[in-house]
Every structure is written in C-alpha cells, then in structure tokens.
Amino acid sequence: MAVDLAPEFARPYALLAWNTIVTGWFLDIDTETSIREAEWFARKAIELDPDDSFGYSQMGLALLYRKEYKQACYYLDRGLTLNPHDFRVWSSKALYFV
C-alpha cells in the first residue's frame, strides 16, 4: 500500500478515505464502519498536509454521509478556500446542496 511506502505523504490517506466511502456506497457494506475508517484516513491526510484540499473534501464527504451538515460544510468550504479549482471538492460540495 502507498501509505506503507511513504507514510509521511497525505494524498494516499485522502485517497484511502475516498475509496472507503465509495466502496461502502457501491458494495453496501457496513457503512458505519466504512465512514469511521474514512474519517480516520481523512483526518490523517489533513494532519500530514493541512494545505491539501483533498483531505478536507473527503472529511466533508464522510460527514455528509453521517448527516453532520454543519461540520461537513466547514470542511468542504476549507477545501475550496485552499484550492477553489479542485473538482473533487466541488463535487462533494454539490452533494451538500442535494
């Protein structure tokens, strides 16, 4: 796994958060566990690189799934502040409005 090869890089953790969320949705597995794991990966990504919008996007997405809309909005807005051109953050923000 990429996190084993370079545990100091944030992007693999953010990608694991995304993968965990999407896998939970499409395979309809234990979503509570999946979201908890995704949150952990997203927090780790933010911890390792607080200037990378993708970690914030994934934390926002996980919180949206939990229906914690106020917190989700904070993370999504933070991601957009960091990189207003990141389509991944915008697509997660679009889910916020749905």
Side-chain angles (χ1 to χ4, degrees):
M1 227 195 288
V3 294
D4 296 329
L5 295 174
E8 70 278 7
F9 290 118
R11 186 55 59 100
Y13 288 100
L15 288 167
L16 279 170
W18 175 82
N19 186 25
T20 303
I21 292 167
V22 171
T23 301
W25 281 341
F26 289 116
L27 296 181
D28 196 28
I29 58 176
D30 179 9
T31 53
E32 183 60 34
T33 301
S34 295
I35 295 305
R36 253 188 277 119
E37 288 176 9
E39 285 181 42
W40 187 90
F41 287 131
R43 283 187 207 287
K44 185 69 173 176
I46 292 167
E47 174 188 318
L48 290 171
D49 189 354
D51 295 324
D52 184 13
S53 61
F54 194 39
Y56 290 93
S57 170
Q58 297 317 297
M59 178 59 81
L61 192 58
L63 291 168
L64 278 176
Y65 199 89
R66 284 184 181 269
K67 298 181 179 166
E68 295 179 22
Y69 301 117
K70 191 171 187 174
Q71 285 186 322
C73 188
Y74 165 79
Y75 282 99
L76 295 170
D77 286 347
R78 180 69 183 136
L80 288 172
T81 298
L82 291 169
N83 186 354
H85 304 290
D86 189 338
F87 72 92
R88 294 168 297 229
V89 185
W90 279 110
S91 65
S92 296
K93 183 73 177 203
L95 291 172
Y96 172 79
F97 290 112
V98 171

